[in-house]
Amino acid sequence: MASSTIASSSTPFIKQNELGRSSFSSTYLPIQRCSRKASRKVVSVMAPTQSQRPPSTTGSVKTGMTMTEKILARASERSQLVPGENVWVNIDVLMTHDVCGPGTIGIFKKEFGENAKVWDREKIVIIPDHYIFTSDERANRNVDILRDFCMEQNIKYFYDIKDLSDFRANPDYKGVCHIALAQEGHCRPGEVLLGTDSHTCNAGAFGQFATGIGNTDAGFVMGAGKLLLKVPPTLRFVMDGEMPNYLLAKDLILQIIGEISVAGATYRSMEFVGSTVESLSMEERMTLCNMVVEAGGKNGVVPADSTTYKYLEGKTSVEFEPLYSDDKARFLSEYRFDVSKLEPVVAKPHSPDNRALARECKDVKIDRVYIGSCTGGKTEDFLAAAKLFHASGREVKVPTFLVPATQKVWMDIYSIPVPEFGGKTCSQIFEEAGCDTPASPNCGACLGGPRDTYARMNEPKVCVSTTNRNFPGRMGHKEGQIYLASPYTAAASALTGFVTDPRDFLQ
Amino acid sequence: MAMAATSITVSNPNISSHKHPKSLSSNNFRSNLRIPTTYLTKFPFKNLSSSSPSSLTPLCATTTPSSSTSKETIPNKTFHGLCYVLGNNIDTDQIIPAEYLTLVPSKPDEYRKLGSFALIGLPATYKTRFMEPGEDKSKYSIVIGGENFGCGSSREHAPVALGAAGVKAVVAESYARIFFRNSVATGEVYPLESEVRLCDECSTGDVVTIELAESLLINHTTGKEYKLKPIGDAGPVIDAGGIFAYARKTGMIPSAVPS
C-alpha cells in the first residue's frame, strides 16, 4: 500500500510545443459547472501517460530500459522496471546543507531516536553553503547544528566553515553544494544521489540519478538508507550540430525550458544526448542538468563517457559502473535540436520558460549583473565572462557581481593564467573591466537569503543573472526583475547596460 | 436550507481563530456532516455567501462512514472555510521566501513563525494578503491555485508554512513534483488536484467545502460544485500525519521511537 504512496494521479499540464511528438497539446477545458459528462471528457484528455507507452514486450525478449530506469532498477535490486512503478531505492549519497540540514536532522532524531546512528557515515555529505557570510544569528546557528551533528555522528564528508571573516582560512570549506559534490568526487556514474535541494539534479551530468527531496524524506534516508521513488518516464533531447562560439550550455537549457515549459518535464527524466552534448565539458553538462528542475524534471542525465572519466580521475576511489539507455529503450517523447542554428537566449521575468532571444531584449535597460550560483558560477562560467570582457576591451556600465561557486573556482579565477588572455588571470580581466571583486563562495544572492547577503537585490532592480530562477522575489526584492542568461550574455549586458546579445562582442 | 439544517452539525471554532488546533478538522470533530453530492449547480448553502465571511461558523466535521466508500483508503474528511485564490506557477519562493529559511521546521516555535510568513512572497498584485500582519494563522484554510503549484525550490518549508498557517488543503490544476511529495511526506496539507481550472472559478474569500471522500469541492458563494481528482493512496499518509506516522500506524516501522 505504501509502495503506491507516491503514485499521485498527477498528469502534468504540457504546453503545446512545436517539436514534441506528444499528444499532450490539449488544454484543460474550463468547465462552468460540475457536469459529469464534462468531467469524463477531461479525464480522457488527462490520462495520456499510460496510453503513450507502448505495450510491454512479453516473453523472453527483454524490454529495453532508459538509463534512469536502469539506475533505479539496479539500486532497487530489480531486473526490470517500467515508468510509474514505485520502488525502494538504495541510496548511494545523501547530501544536505545549512538550510535544510537542521530540519532533516530534527526529523531524523525525532523519528529514529535521540541516540540513533545514521545509516552510513560515509554516504552522507553535509555542505554548508547557503547562508554563510551573514551576521544572521539563526543562519550561523544552523551551521553550528550541522557541525554538532557531524561530530556526533562522525560524518566523513563535512565541509565546515568556522572563520567567516576569511573563507580561505577554512581549508575544508567548499561552497555551493552541487559544484562541491562534483569537485569532491561524490558524483559518480550509475549511482543514486539524493539531496535536500532541488538543484541536486546537477549531478545527472555524470550519468548519476540525482534528484531533490524534502527534509522529511531526507530524514528517512538518513536513518534507513533507502527511499520510495517513483520511476519516471524519460524525455529524450537529442542535440546535434556544432556549437557556435557565442553559445553556452545555459542557452541550450533555456531553449529547452522555453520549448517544454516550466512543467513540461514534471515527474519525468530528461536525457541529453547527441554530438553537441558529447562535445560539452563536464561543467557545461552540469549547467544542462542543473536546470532540469526548472522544467519540472525529476532528474536529468548525460551518458558518461571519456570526458566524464577524465574529470573523475583522482577525485574518487569508489568503484562505479555507468549505465546507458538500451537501444530499445522507450522514451515518452524525443526532441531534436540543431544547435548550430540556435541563438543566445534569455528567460525574461518572472519565469524560467519565458524565453526570448537576447537580441530581442536589447532595449531592456538593466541595473546590475550577477555571475554566480550552482548554475552559472563555475570556473568555465567565469572564463566565459572573462573571455568576453577581454575581447571587448571595455569596462562594465553597471555593477557586476561575481560570486564563485566554490573555493576551487575562486582559486581558479585568481590563479590560472589564460593564454588567450595574454596570460592574465580571470581576476585581472575582471578588475580591468571594472567588476566587483570576486566574493566569498556561497549560494548568496541567487535566492535572496538574509538581508545582509552580498549582492542581494534589496531594491527593485533589473538584473541579468547567470542563475537558475527568476520568480518574483527570487533574488530578494519582490518587484525585482531577473533576466536569466549565459555568462556570455551576462558579460555583454554588463558592458552595455542593456540586455545584449554576446555576438556584439564575440564576432 | 432546510436540508442543510438537518444534515449538518456545526462545530464551534471561528474561521479566523488562530488558536484553532490542527486536529480540529479531523477526528475530534467527527460529527454527522453529510453533503449530498447530487447537486449540480445549485447548492442550498448559497445564501450563506451573502453574509459576512468573518461571521460564518466553519464546519469542522467529517462525513459519517459510508458503506459505499472505502474507509481504508480515503479519509472521510471535510474541510470548510474561506479560500485564497492564486494563479499558475506559484513557486516555493513566493510561498516562503528564502530569507525565512533560517527557521527550522522541526523546532515548534520556528514552525509557528514559518506559518506567519506563509505566502508573504506574493507580489503586490495580490491586493488581499493571505496573512494579517501580526497573526500566525490565516483566515483562509483552503488555497486554490492553477498549474504547476509549488514549483521551484525543494524547500519543505513551503508546505510546512502553509500547514502552520492553518491551511488544510491546496487545490490546484497540477503540482510540481517535490511540493506534492513534501506535502504528503509531512502530512501538512492535502495537495488536491482539480479537474477544471478552479482558480478562474473561485475568488479569494469564497466559502468553500471540500468533501475528501467524495472528491468534491463546493463553492457556497457561487453555488457551484466541482469534481476533484481522488487523492488516492496519498490520502491515508497525510491523514496519519506524514510518512513516519503512517509507517508506524501500519506497522511498517516500530510504533515507538527508540530512546
Side-chain angles (χ1 to χ4, degrees), chain A residues 4 46 111 131 141 216, chain B residues 98 110 156 225 229 233 248:
Chain A
S4 50
M46 294 289 296
E111 303 291 352
Y131 306 156
R141 174 207 64 181
T216 301
Chain B
E110 296 182 23
E156 197 165 280
E225 42 173 272
K229 293 189 203 168
D233 287 350
R248 293 214 155 80

Side-chain angles (χ1 to χ4, degrees), chain A residues 4 8 31 34 46 111 113 131 141-142 198 211 214-217 228 447 451 456 469 471 474 478, chain B residues 40 91 93 98-99 102-103 110 120 122 152-154 156 177 180-182 193 196 225 229 233 248 258:
Chain A
S4 50
S8 93
I31 296 177
C34 184
M46 294 289 296
E111 303 291 352
Y131 306 156
R141 174 207 64 181
N142 288 346
S198 59
T211 193
N215 297 357
T216 301
D217 280 336
L228 187 60
L447 74 167
R451 302 268 167 151
R456 184 181 192 271
R469 291 187 175 134
F471 302 131
R474 173 69 180 179
K478 280 194 273 193
Chain B
L40 292 178
D91 71 280
D93 280 276
E99 66 181 291
T102 57
L103 295 162
E110 296 182 23
I120 200 169
L122 289 174
S153 157
S154 62
E156 197 165 280
R177 181 185 65 79
F180 184 93
R181 173 137 186 164
N182 286 345
E193 287 183 312
V196 299
E225 42 173 272
K229 293 189 203 168
D233 287 350
R248 293 214 155 80

Side-chain angles (χ1 to χ4, degrees), chain B residues 4 33 62 68 73 97 101 124-125 128 131 136 140-141 146 152 174 233 235 241:
Chain B
L33 178 69
T62 58
S68 62
T73 54
L101 299 186
T125 48
T128 308
M131 298 293 301
D136 58 8
Y140 304 100
S141 58
S174 61
D233 287 350

Side-chain angles (χ1 to χ4, degrees), chain A residues 67 71 178-179 182 187-191 193 199-210 249 270-272 277-278 280-292 299-309 311-312 324 378:
Chain A
M67 190 165 152
I71 295 172
H178 309 297
I179 308 310
C187 302
R188 295 177 293 257
E191 291 193 356
L193 164 73
H199 293 110
T200 302
C201 53
N202 185 76
F206 291 81
Q208 185 173 35
F209 176 88
M270 296 167 74
E271 183 169 324
F272 303 101
V277 178
E278 288 163 21
L280 294 179
S281 68
M282 285 316 293
E283 291 197 353
E284 284 284 84
R285 293 179 191 186
M286 287 186 224
T287 306
L288 211 50
C289 291
N290 180 282
M291 286 188 72
V292 301
N299 72 312
V301 277
V302 172
D305 59 13
S306 56
T307 305
T308 319
Y309 307 140
Y311 183 95
L312 284 168
Y324 301 93
K378 302 179 292 296

Side-chain angles (χ1 to χ4, degrees), chain A residues 242-248 387 488 502-503 506-507:
Chain A
E242 191 178 341
M243 187 112 140
N245 70 349
Y246 43 83
L247 288 188
L248 291 166
K387 179 179 168 186
Y488 280 156
R503 284 174 288 189
L506 288 175
Q507 286 181 330

Side-chain angles (χ1 to χ4, degrees), chain A residues 143-156:
Chain A
V143 178
D144 295 341
I145 292 175
L146 297 182
R147 185 179 307 111
D148 292 346
F149 182 75
C150 290
M151 292 286 283
E152 171 198 306
Q153 299 282 337
N154 197 19
I155 298 292
K156 187 169 177 183

